[in-house]
Amino acid sequence: MSALQAYATHIASAMDILAEAHGMSERALIDLGLPDVEAHDLRALAAVYFGPTHFSRKQRHATTAARYHDLVTLKLIEKYVSRVRTKRDAWNLRIELCRLRGPASEIARRAKQRLRDLRPRRTPPREGVQLLRRPNGPWTMRITAPSAFLAELDAALNPARPLDSLRDLLRDTAAPSARTTTNVIIPLNALDRILDGDGEEVTLRLTNGATITGAKLVERTFTEHGLATLIHPVKGPVNLYRTSRYATEKQRRMAAAENPTCPWPPCNHPADKAQIHHLKAWKHGGLTNMDNLTVCCPYHNGVNQDDPNAPPLRGRLARVNGKVRWVR
């Protein structure tokens, strides 16, 4: 057997080598003639497939599947598995990769895909204003706000004198300037959804780089004129979005038809004498839309816990599986 054949046989007998290396010290492996890096890697792999673990069942599955791979491939698998945050997810990824029979490039492609799937979603930053006060030097203000708002603010500033123009805006003394016109791109299918009352679920792009929801577009376009009620050709008035806090007469009737009495158990206050209640409070951004409205007697409307994140007290009304229910 040539040296090259011996090497190929050596790396192909991965699990037998790891089983024998398990329990040996790194020093003992080096004394056998292994380079220190190889000794370190062998001990690490042996600990994965033969060492103690709380996931012994998953370890058995991985060990069985890994017998089809050589040492080089097992090292490649561990390269990607080491990037997983939790041990359970790491074992699941290890088993999945060990069960692949394709070339190393296929294993790497699958590993990268799974790592993207496991990556936690980045939460958007909270809107607000932060002020950095320096004892000796200029201060810095950082504004985090919807893109459409900041795009408009940026368009209103004079690039030649941004601070002065911002100061003029704050003092409401800015001279009329040429208004920057930007287009809102509204695909026809998105327009249908907005007219059907799903504007909050539609995101539109502007040619100034910003984005805006369909509901916000309706609000900003018509609220100055008090005309933000959309009329569906079949359903009639659908949504008022954020332009009006008060429900229409049709919405009142629909809410009463859904709940003839106050839905707070065991209240039996008639809907005809009840108030209209926002399930997600208006002050917390709730919309005057039918899926967010219900009838409620004056007493329970007053004691309803509007903040769902506050410690539970009297409870609140919420829509659960399409029905208005009292929850705590």
Side-chain angles (χ1 to χ4, degrees):
M1 180 183 295
S2 67
L4 184 59
Q5 289 175 324
Y7 175 72
T9 302
H10 159 70
I11 63 173
S13 306
M15 298 310 292
D16 293 336
I17 293 173
L18 295 180
E20 188 174 344
H22 175 57
M24 296 181 65
S25 67
E26 189 170 325
R27 182 72 259 172
L29 292 173
I30 294 175
D31 290 342
L32 290 176
L34 295 178
D36 55 352
V37 174
E38 183 68 15
H40 175 80
D41 291 345
L42 278 182
R43 285 197 75 239
L45 281 174
V48 167
Y49 291 98
F50 297 98
T53 176
H54 293 296
F55 298 91
S56 55
R57 182 178 179 183
K58 293 182 181 295
Q59 185 186 52
R60 288 195 298 271
H61 291 319
T63 301
T64 301
R67 293 190 178 278
Y68 294 92
H69 295 298
D70 54 45
L71 281 173
V72 175
T73 303
L74 293 183
K75 291 179 183 179
L76 175 68
I77 290 174
E78 289 308 307
K79 169 187 172 182
Y80 292 105
V81 171
S82 63
R83 302 176 187 176
V84 179
R85 293 190 174 186
T86 68
K87 292 183 178 180
R88 182 179 299 276
D89 288 339
W91 275 110
N92 289 336
L93 178 60
R94 184 179 289 114
I95 293 171
E96 180 178 354
L97 297 181
C98 285
R99 285 175 174 171
L100 291 178
R101 298 292 181 265
S105 59
E106 172 63 20
I107 293 176
R109 187 195 65 80
R110 178 73 66 85
K112 292 175 182 178
Q113 177 184 339
R114 288 292 178 262
L115 288 176
R116 285 193 296 268
D117 296 339
L118 292 171
R119 189 177 302 140
R121 293 184 177 181
R122 299 179 61 182
T123 56
R126 296 182 60 180
E127 296 181 8
V129 178
Q130 294 178 320
L131 186 62
L132 174 60
R133 300 175 176 87
R134 297 183 179 88
N136 299 305
W139 290 9
T140 299
M141 176 177 286
R142 179 179 179 182
I143 303 175
T144 303
S147 57
F149 170 79
L150 290 181
E152 286 188 357
L153 178 61
D154 179 66
L157 299 179
N158 185 341
R161 42 187 294 274
L163 289 180
D164 290 337
S165 57
L166 177 59
R167 188 179 296 110
D168 292 341
L169 285 174
L170 295 176
R171 293 174 178 172
D172 200 23
T173 60
S177 58
R179 183 176 180 85
T180 302
T181 301
T182 186
N183 288 333
V184 183
I185 304 169
I186 311 177
L188 289 178
N189 61 333
L191 180 60
D192 287 340
R193 293 184 63 190
I194 296 172
L195 294 176
D196 204 32
D198 295 328
E200 281 292 336
E201 306 299 324
V202 177
T203 300
L204 305 173
R205 299 196 66 83
L206 284 69
T207 54
N208 63 2
T211 59
I212 189 172
T213 66
K216 182 62 69 174
L217 174 66
V218 172
E219 175 186 339
R220 296 177 61 175
T221 303
F222 298 111
T223 188
E224 294 180 0
H225 308 285
L227 300 174
T229 301
L230 296 183
I231 307 298
H232 192 279
V234 176
K235 301 177 182 178
V238 181
N239 284 331
L240 297 181
Y241 295 108
R242 283 288 296 175
T243 63
S244 175
R245 178 177 181 176
Y246 302 103
T248 64
E249 183 60 30
K250 180 171 183 177
Q251 287 175 317
R252 290 177 177 274
R253 292 179 181 178
M254 293 172 68
E258 182 182 20
N259 291 284
T261 60
C262 175
W264 194 297
C267 185
N268 199 36
H269 191 92
D272 288 345
K273 297 183 179 181
Q275 298 174 344
I276 294 297
H277 171 74
H278 287 74
L279 298 175
K280 180 180 180 181
W282 172 266
K283 64 183 178 182
H284 292 152
L287 306 178
T288 309
N289 297 344
M290 279 310 305
D291 60 354
N292 193 48
L293 299 178
T294 187
V295 296
C296 192
C297 72
Y299 173 74
H300 287 124
N301 197 14
V303 301
N304 184 84
Q305 188 173 1
D306 290 338
D307 186 358
N309 298 318
L313 296 173
R314 297 292 301 276
R316 59 187 176 89
L317 293 176
R319 192 171 293 278
V320 181
N321 296 327
K323 303 292 185 181
V324 177
R325 298 283 186 262
W326 173 82
V327 297
R328 175 175 289 180

